[in-house]
């Protein structure tokens, strides 16, 4: 394609195109940039840049998962406080974190739909707004049932809406270094799990749990900034320009063939079942470990630090295992299975722990390998 001064016409803004077909036939004029021009010349042989703006997307996803997983995985600190505030049973209070975790992961299909229709930038911005509203309203919660909805459903759903688009925003930029890019951005989950428990404890001490919820609302708004940093690479923009012109020449219809193909893919279904089973219990140590330690006589501050240990060691685990997983001789599926086995065995043995030192050892082991599980699930979902 030769450079011209004319404008190409496509159905949506170039920075908001998705890797899927256009949802409508509306036409909007955009400038034909040099970067897109070069990509159009090689549209039949597309290649992710393996860098460039992709590293900005990696940084934005780092902050995104810092907020999402940090908030939910640090709930154990809030859990201990809410038991005293509402004079409720531990089972009743645990439902707040359980609903939030469930809503966050169940938001996947809705997040995928929004990502397909509006792109990962708009979807992430919407996620930040929804989560911020949920946490702000939670500051005025008169009862636990109100928190089930505000913190659990609304806040958890808002956080969950950002997970899929942030992952897509990274994967479209990388091929050779995809595992390292995902692992690097996933470190944010470990940093969030390490830092937010101490922030929660300091805010609760200074402003009470309601003041902490207000600050948490402001933290969630940073997802809007992350969304603003996401943009589509030029090679996909060029592909979509070509598809737009093809669709203008001949009508097309929506097909569910790709969906059926995925559901008939046995390795994907096995991975899906394993991931679903894993997430039934992945939140339990983060929520109940501080309270379990307190029941053995550990102080509140020391108990909340156990979650920080999981977060800190999780950072090292993601870096190390992300580097190892890029070697061709390493089976990522086997890697994933071993990590889950170690986490399960460690959690089983944790029920017999009675001292703070052993609690800290368990927190380190769990943090390292459950952090790797989070990274591996992201990588496998992209690969499969």
């Amino acid at each position: 394609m030769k450079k011209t001064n004319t404008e190409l016409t496509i159905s949506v803004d170039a920075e908001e195109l998705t890797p899927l077909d256009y949802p409508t036939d509306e036409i909007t004029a955009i400038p034909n940039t040099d970067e897109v021009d070069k990509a159009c010349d090689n549209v039949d042989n597309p290649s992710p840049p393996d860098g460039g703006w992709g590293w900005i997307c990696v940084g934005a996803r780092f902050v995104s998962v810092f907020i999402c997983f940090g908030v939910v995985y640090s709930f154990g600190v809030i859990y201990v406080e809410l038991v005293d505030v509402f004079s409720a049973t531990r089972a009743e209070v645990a439902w707040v974190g359980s609903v939030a975790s469930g809503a966050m992961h169940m938001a996947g299909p809705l997040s995928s739909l929004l990502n397909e229709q509006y792109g990962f930038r708009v979807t992430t911005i919407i996620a930040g707004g929804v989560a911020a509203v949920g946490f702000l309203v939670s500051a005025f919660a008169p009862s636990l049932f109100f928190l089930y909805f505000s913190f659990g459903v609304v806040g958890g759903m808002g956080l969950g809406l950002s997970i899929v688009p942030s992952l897509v925003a990274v994967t479209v930029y990388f091929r050779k270094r995809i595992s390292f890019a995902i692992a690097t951005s996933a470190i944010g989950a470990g940093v969030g799990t390490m830092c937010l428990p101490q922030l929660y404890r300091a805010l609760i001490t200074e402003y009470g749990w309601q003041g902490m919820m207000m600050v948490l609302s402001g933290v969630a708004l940073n997802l809007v900034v992350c969304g603003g940093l996401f943009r589509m690479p030029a090679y996909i923009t060029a592909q979509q320009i070509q598809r737009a012109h093809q669709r203008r020449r001949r009508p097309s219809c929506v097909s569910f063939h790709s969906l059926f193909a995925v559901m008939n893919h046995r390795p994907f279904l096995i991975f899906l079942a394993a991931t679903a089973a894993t997430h039934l219990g992945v939140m339990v140590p983060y929520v109940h470990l501080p309270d379990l330690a307190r029941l053995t006589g550990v102080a509140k501050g020391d108990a909340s630090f156990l979650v920080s240990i999981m977060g800190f060691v999780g950072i090292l685990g993601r870096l190390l295992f992300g580097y190892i997983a890029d070697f061709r001789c390493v089976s990522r599926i086997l890697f994933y299975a071993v990590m889950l086995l170690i986490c399960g065995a460690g959690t089983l043995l944790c029920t017999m722990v009675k001292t703070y030192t052993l609690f800290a050892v368990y927190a380190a082991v769990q943090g390292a390998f459950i952090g790797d599980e989070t990274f591996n699930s992201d990588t496998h979902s992209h690969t499969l």
Side-chain angles (χ1 to χ4, degrees), residues 166-217:
S166 67
L167 179 60
V168 174
V170 171
T171 57
V172 294
Y173 275 93
F174 294 91
R175 178 177 295 170
K176 295 180 180 178
R177 292 182 284 183
I178 181 66
S179 294
F180 181 73
I182 293 177
T184 301
S185 61
I187 291 173
V191 177
T193 307
M194 178 180 66
C195 297
L196 287 185
Q198 304 311 310
L199 177 63
Y200 283 178
R201 175 53 50 200
L203 291 174
I204 290 173
T205 301
E206 188 69 24
Y207 304 109
W209 73 273
Q210 293 172 313
M212 183 218 66
M213 287 291 184
M214 293 181 183
V215 174
L216 194 59
S217 176

Side-chain angles (χ1 to χ4, degrees), residues 218-232:
V219 171
L221 280 176
N222 285 280
L223 290 173
V224 175
V225 180
C226 295
L229 291 173
F230 292 145
R231 76 181 189 189
M232 192 64 67

Side-chain angles (χ1 to χ4, degrees), residues 357-370:
T357 301
L358 291 179
F359 277 126
V361 171
Y362 165 73
V365 173
Q366 184 74 6
F369 295 111
I370 207 64

Side-chain angles (χ1 to χ4, degrees), residues 4 22 25 28 97 194 200 287 289 291:
T4 65
Y22 289 97
D25 290 325
T28 305
M194 178 180 66
Y200 283 178
V287 174
L289 184 60
D291 189 56

